[in-house]
Amino acid sequence: MSEIWDIYDRNKNKTGRFHKRGMPLNKNDYHVIIHAWVVNSRDEVIITKRHSSKKICPNMWECTEGSIIAGESSIEGAVRELKEEIGLSFEKNEAIFLTSFILEFSNTIVDSYMFRRDVKLEDLSLQENEVSKAIIVNRDKYFDMCKSGEIISSIRYFYDIYDKLK
């Protein structure tokens, strides 16, 4: 069964219309996705490798991300995606809002959240056909992976935003 998304305008107001995943969006219609960052006490982040079967950016590294479904808030979507993709359970009140921005090329509004927790890789349960691997990286490794093109460009903002929170 295909996901159904709420359609938003570019100011993130719901239009009252819905969209079936996989169909092209109209020019002024947007859907919301989330970026969910898990950060440990050493300021390292969990990043995941997209499964090789993914149509968009296969085998690229990213944070946990995904579309919110109709009727779901972006915080609810972040909590759900973390549980589905890497098996970590969080409460909505653990989310720290980082930023929101628009990716015009995909008619997407991105809401980005951070969750603080010390996690061991063996605690993760990776979603089959979505995530092939997870690693914990420090700032230097993250920037090295950004420079080498291993990390999806739309998530290369993390430490810039994170540093502003301090």
Side-chain angles (χ1 to χ4, degrees), residues 67-81:
S67 296
I68 65 170
I69 56 177
E72 186 176 55
S73 70
S74 64
I75 291 173
E76 291 167 338
V79 168
R80 177 184 49 77
E81 288 288 349

PDB file of all heavy atoms in Angstrom, residues 67-81:
ATOM      1  N   SER A  67       9.516  10.588   4.868  1.00  0.00           N
ATOM      2  CA  SER A  67       8.322  11.421   4.695  1.00  0.00           C
ATOM      3  C   SER A  67       7.369  11.236   5.860  1.00  0.00           C
ATOM      4  O   SER A  67       7.218  10.138   6.381  1.00  0.00           O
ATOM      5  CB  SER A  67       7.591  11.018   3.413  1.00  0.00           C
ATOM      6  OG  SER A  67       8.386  11.262   2.284  1.00  0.00           O
ATOM      7  N   ILE A  68       6.722  12.349   6.227  1.00  0.00           N
ATOM      8  CA  ILE A  68       5.656  12.204   7.204  1.00  0.00           C
ATOM      9  C   ILE A  68       4.397  11.798   6.436  1.00  0.00           C
ATOM     10  O   ILE A  68       4.235  12.133   5.259  1.00  0.00           O
ATOM     11  CB  ILE A  68       5.435  13.460   8.072  1.00  0.00           C
ATOM     12  CG1 ILE A  68       4.958  14.641   7.256  1.00  0.00           C
ATOM     13  CG2 ILE A  68       6.696  13.806   8.828  1.00  0.00           C
ATOM     14  CD1 ILE A  68       4.498  15.805   8.127  1.00  0.00           C
ATOM     15  N   ILE A  69       3.551  11.032   7.074  1.00  0.00           N
ATOM     16  CA  ILE A  69       2.338  10.549   6.414  1.00  0.00           C
ATOM     17  C   ILE A  69       1.152  11.417   6.807  1.00  0.00           C
ATOM     18  O   ILE A  69       1.218  12.173   7.779  1.00  0.00           O
ATOM     19  CB  ILE A  69       2.104   9.057   6.725  1.00  0.00           C
ATOM     20  CG1 ILE A  69       2.031   8.793   8.225  1.00  0.00           C
ATOM     21  CG2 ILE A  69       3.187   8.198   6.088  1.00  0.00           C
ATOM     22  CD1 ILE A  69       1.722   7.361   8.602  1.00  0.00           C
ATOM     23  N   ALA A  70       0.085  11.320   6.040  1.00  0.00           N
ATOM     24  CA  ALA A  70      -1.095  12.154   6.261  1.00  0.00           C
ATOM     25  C   ALA A  70      -1.559  12.057   7.710  1.00  0.00           C
ATOM     26  O   ALA A  70      -1.632  10.969   8.277  1.00  0.00           O
ATOM     27  CB  ALA A  70      -2.210  11.741   5.308  1.00  0.00           C
ATOM     28  N   GLY A  71      -1.814  13.217   8.301  1.00  0.00           N
ATOM     29  CA  GLY A  71      -2.299  13.284   9.669  1.00  0.00           C
ATOM     30  C   GLY A  71      -1.226  13.265  10.732  1.00  0.00           C
ATOM     31  O   GLY A  71      -1.514  13.424  11.915  1.00  0.00           O
ATOM     32  N   GLU A  72       0.014  13.100  10.334  1.00  0.00           N
ATOM     33  CA  GLU A  72       1.138  12.983  11.268  1.00  0.00           C
ATOM     34  C   GLU A  72       1.867  14.324  11.348  1.00  0.00           C
ATOM     35  O   GLU A  72       2.044  14.996  10.340  1.00  0.00           O
ATOM     36  CB  GLU A  72       2.071  11.898  10.729  1.00  0.00           C
ATOM     37  CG  GLU A  72       3.223  11.504  11.576  1.00  0.00           C
ATOM     38  CD  GLU A  72       4.005  10.342  10.957  1.00  0.00           C
ATOM     39  OE1 GLU A  72       4.450  10.447   9.792  1.00  0.00           O
ATOM     40  OE2 GLU A  72       4.164   9.335  11.661  1.00  0.00           O
ATOM     41  N   SER A  73       2.313  14.707  12.539  1.00  0.00           N
ATOM     42  CA  SER A  73       3.165  15.894  12.674  1.00  0.00           C
ATOM     43  C   SER A  73       4.598  15.502  12.326  1.00  0.00           C
ATOM     44  O   SER A  73       4.941  14.316  12.294  1.00  0.00           O
ATOM     45  CB  SER A  73       3.108  16.440  14.105  1.00  0.00           C
ATOM     46  OG  SER A  73       3.766  15.555  14.996  1.00  0.00           O
ATOM     47  N   SER A  74       5.438  16.493  12.091  1.00  0.00           N
ATOM     48  CA  SER A  74       6.824  16.158  11.757  1.00  0.00           C
ATOM     49  C   SER A  74       7.547  15.512  12.941  1.00  0.00           C
ATOM     50  O   SER A  74       8.356  14.611  12.750  1.00  0.00           O
ATOM     51  CB  SER A  74       7.590  17.363  11.220  1.00  0.00           C
ATOM     52  OG  SER A  74       7.725  18.384  12.174  1.00  0.00           O
ATOM     53  N   ILE A  75       7.239  15.929  14.167  1.00  0.00           N
ATOM     54  CA  ILE A  75       7.855  15.285  15.341  1.00  0.00           C
ATOM     55  C   ILE A  75       7.418  13.825  15.417  1.00  0.00           C
ATOM     56  O   ILE A  75       8.242  12.930  15.653  1.00  0.00           O
ATOM     57  CB  ILE A  75       7.500  16.035  16.648  1.00  0.00           C
ATOM     58  CG1 ILE A  75       8.188  17.395  16.683  1.00  0.00           C
ATOM     59  CG2 ILE A  75       7.892  15.212  17.869  1.00  0.00           C
ATOM     60  CD1 ILE A  75       7.763  18.272  17.852  1.00  0.00           C
ATOM     61  N   GLU A  76       6.135  13.571  15.205  1.00  0.00           N
ATOM     62  CA  GLU A  76       5.652  12.184  15.201  1.00  0.00           C
ATOM     63  C   GLU A  76       6.343  11.376  14.106  1.00  0.00           C
ATOM     64  O   GLU A  76       6.712  10.220  14.313  1.00  0.00           O
ATOM     65  CB  GLU A  76       4.131  12.149  15.008  1.00  0.00           C
ATOM     66  CG  GLU A  76       3.358  12.682  16.188  1.00  0.00           C
ATOM     67  CD  GLU A  76       1.888  12.946  15.898  1.00  0.00           C
ATOM     68  OE1 GLU A  76       1.516  13.114  14.713  1.00  0.00           O
ATOM     69  OE2 GLU A  76       1.113  12.984  16.872  1.00  0.00           O
ATOM     70  N   GLY A  77       6.537  11.992  12.944  1.00  0.00           N
ATOM     71  CA  GLY A  77       7.237  11.318  11.857  1.00  0.00           C
ATOM     72  C   GLY A  77       8.677  11.000  12.216  1.00  0.00           C
ATOM     73  O   GLY A  77       9.190   9.927  11.892  1.00  0.00           O
ATOM     74  N   ALA A  78       9.355  11.923  12.898  1.00  0.00           N
ATOM     75  CA  ALA A  78      10.745  11.688  13.307  1.00  0.00           C
ATOM     76  C   ALA A  78      10.837  10.510  14.270  1.00  0.00           C
ATOM     77  O   ALA A  78      11.691   9.632  14.116  1.00  0.00           O
ATOM     78  CB  ALA A  78      11.325  12.951  13.943  1.00  0.00           C
ATOM     79  N   VAL A  79       9.951  10.485  15.247  1.00  0.00           N
ATOM     80  CA  VAL A  79       9.940   9.384  16.226  1.00  0.00           C
ATOM     81  C   VAL A  79       9.645   8.058  15.526  1.00  0.00           C
ATOM     82  O   VAL A  79      10.297   7.044  15.781  1.00  0.00           O
ATOM     83  CB  VAL A  79       8.915   9.684  17.350  1.00  0.00           C
ATOM     84  CG1 VAL A  79       8.663   8.465  18.213  1.00  0.00           C
ATOM     85  CG2 VAL A  79       9.396  10.861  18.201  1.00  0.00           C
ATOM     86  N   ARG A  80       8.667   8.064  14.607  1.00  0.00           N
ATOM     87  CA  ARG A  80       8.309   6.841  13.879  1.00  0.00           C
ATOM     88  C   ARG A  80       9.471   6.352  13.012  1.00  0.00           C
ATOM     89  O   ARG A  80       9.810   5.172  13.009  1.00  0.00           O
ATOM     90  CB  ARG A  80       7.065   7.077  13.014  1.00  0.00           C
ATOM     91  CG  ARG A  80       6.678   5.853  12.162  1.00  0.00           C
ATOM     92  CD  ARG A  80       5.508   6.133  11.239  1.00  0.00           C
ATOM     93  NE  ARG A  80       5.623   7.350  10.449  1.00  0.00           N
ATOM     94  CZ  ARG A  80       6.390   7.483   9.359  1.00  0.00           C
ATOM     95  NH1 ARG A  80       7.138   6.467   8.933  1.00  0.00           N
ATOM     96  NH2 ARG A  80       6.425   8.625   8.699  1.00  0.00           N
ATOM     97  N   GLU A  81      10.090   7.262  12.269  1.00  0.00           N
ATOM     98  CA  GLU A  81      11.190   6.869  11.377  1.00  0.00           C
ATOM     99  C   GLU A  81      12.383   6.313  12.156  1.00  0.00           C
ATOM    100  O   GLU A  81      13.014   5.350  11.727  1.00  0.00           O
ATOM    101  CB  GLU A  81      11.630   8.047  10.497  1.00  0.00           C
ATOM    102  CG  GLU A  81      10.648   8.418   9.416  1.00  0.00           C
ATOM    103  CD  GLU A  81      10.565   7.431   8.263  1.00  0.00           C
ATOM    104  OE1 GLU A  81      11.412   6.519   8.153  1.00  0.00           O
ATOM    105  OE2 GLU A  81       9.626   7.562   7.464  1.00  0.00           O
TER     106      GLU A  81
END
